[in-house]
């Protein structure tokens, strides 16, 4: 067998996106694929060689900064939300020279903050949430002590797509003189394009940094995560000397790093513009509403009214339903608190896909 056929045979075993309602990634936009191909051998870890690509990254950060209300935003395109979150916390930790420190995150925060805590040797305190699964401000405040260096708020939680009260968290961070990181890995390229966007970004003075991933709703190719800081000063806390490179210092976590995510994310945002992105988000929200109504009609109740294109339905049999879907070639996910099935309505989840999904769901329910 020729190696390409061999690769195909592996690739064919992957579940196609049109059967996946659990993923925050999607089929990249065609312009992203074209852009990706043009940058396959670029190493942004050596920006003195790849000067044009490095300039493009700066332009993309500027573009993202404009969407997120900060013309002075500084940052870079990284491997994903995990690296972005780790780097934000690393910058705050290095800024605070004291040895033993902690951060306060919502208990609904992504597990990448546990990784950050472990790698950086800092305590990660977890605050509970209210009945709408937004972080409880009183609990956040009670967990803050004189070793707390930062708060985290999530704009688009992984499980429910909920937005924490960033406005209040920002005020609290300012009051306490500490940094606030907003994890908008998913919501960062959804909320700005909604009809009544919640002010989750740098418009709040207390927000020091923000994670926004083009490889999620930005329809860029994988990997394309993003970390944006309020200004350049935060990057200084991340700098390491690099004596033999074309650059004297490096603030990224990885050394060799691709520019494919930069090019593909830039291409999508530039080609679609604000209006094009609004259209994509509008379509996802319309389809989320269809999923909501169809699944309600099957007798399920949503955990929260969907804020973005993620919807979860309470069920004691959530895991069983998920496994049955899997047997039939579909992938959905579940959450534990409350027990529920979770559906992410990405651009690949079209009306046609929803129709097939609902008819599969009906068969599963009749077999349960
Ligand atoms: N922050 C939030 C709010 C996230 O939801 C995620 C990932 C991250 C950070 C970390 O991002 P990276 O995975 O890019 O490092 N959320 C999804 C999750 O863990 C990622 C995902 C995507 C999982 C596609 C599965 C999948 O098929 O559920």
């Amino acid at each position: 067998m020729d190696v390409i056929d061999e690769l195909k045979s592996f690739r064919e075993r992957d579940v196609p996106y049109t059967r996946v309602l659990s993923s925050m990634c999607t089929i990249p936009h065609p312009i992203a694929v074209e852009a990706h191909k043009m940058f396959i051998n670029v190493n942004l870890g050596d920006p003195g060689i790849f000067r044009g690509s490095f300039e493009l990254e700066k332009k993309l950060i500027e573009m993202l900064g404009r969407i997120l209300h900060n013309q002075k935003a500084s940052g870079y395109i990284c491997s994903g939300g995990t690296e972005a979150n780790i780097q934000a916390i690393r910058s705050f930790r290095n800024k605070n020279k004291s040895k033993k420190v902690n951060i306060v995150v919502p208990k609904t925060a992504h597990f990448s903050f546990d990784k950050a805590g472990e790698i950086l040797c800092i305590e990660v305190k977890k605050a509970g949430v209210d009945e709408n699964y937004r972080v409880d401000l009183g609990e956040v405040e009670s967990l803050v002590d004189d070793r707390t260096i930062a708060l985290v708020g999530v704009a688009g939680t992984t499980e429910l797509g909920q937005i924490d009260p960033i406005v209040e968290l920002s005020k609290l961070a300012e009051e306490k003189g500490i940094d606030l990181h907003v994890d908008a890995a998913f919501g960062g390229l959804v909320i700005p394009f909604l009809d009544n966007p919640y002010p989750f970004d740098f418009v709040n003075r207390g927000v020091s940094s923000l994670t926004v991933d083009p490889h999620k709703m930005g329809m860029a190719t994988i990997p394309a995560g993003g970390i944006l800081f309020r200004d350049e000063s935060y990057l200084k806390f991340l700098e390491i000397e690099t004596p033999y490179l074309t650059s004297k210092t490096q603030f990224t976590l990885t050394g060799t790093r691709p520019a494919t995510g930069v090019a593909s994310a830039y291409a999508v945002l530039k080609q679609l513009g604000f209006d094009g992105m609004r259209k994509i988000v509008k379509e996802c929200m319309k389809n989320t509403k269809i999923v909501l109504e169809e699944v309600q009609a099957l007798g399920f109740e949503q955990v929260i009214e969907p804020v973005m294109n993620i919807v979860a339905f309470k069920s004691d049999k959530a895991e069983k339903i998920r496994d049955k879907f899997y047997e039939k070639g579909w992938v959905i996910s579940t959450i534990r608190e409350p027990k529920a099935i979770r559906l992410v309505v990405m651009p690949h989840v079209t009306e046609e896909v929803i129709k097939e999904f609902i008819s599969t769901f009906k068969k599963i329910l009749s077999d349960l």
Side-chain angles (χ1 to χ4, degrees), residues 20 22-25 79-83 85 110-112 154 156-158 183 185-186 211 213 215-216 342:
V20 178
S22 63
S23 174
M24 285 184 166
C25 295
S79 60
T82 301
E83 180 179 340
N85 287 339
H110 188 257
F111 49 77
S112 44
V154 188
T157 55
T158 308
D183 181 358
F186 186 77
T211 291
D213 289 351
H215 71 198
K216 295 188 168 78
R342 163 188 176 262

Side-chain angles (χ1 to χ4, degrees), residues 313-327:
F313 298 93
K314 295 176 205 167
S315 172
D316 286 338
K317 298 198 184 103
E319 276 150 27
K320 197 153 184 202
I321 294 171
R322 179 201 58 199
D323 295 347
K324 289 277 174 202
F325 265 113
Y326 205 68
E327 278 169 27

Side-chain angles (χ1 to χ4, degrees), residues 125-142:
K125 294 187 176 189
K126 300 209 172 150
V129 292
D130 65 16
E131 67 283 3
N132 286 310
Y133 299 89
R134 293 189 188 102
V135 76
D136 182 315
L137 287 163
E139 238 184 89
V140 172
E141 196 160 2
S142 71

Side-chain angles (χ1 to χ4, degrees), residues 1 4-16:
M1 200 195 318
I4 295 299
D5 287 335
E6 187 186 347
L7 294 178
K8 271 188 198 151
S9 77
F10 281 101
R11 191 69 179 104
E12 276 160 10
R13 300 220 282 272
D14 293 344
V15 179

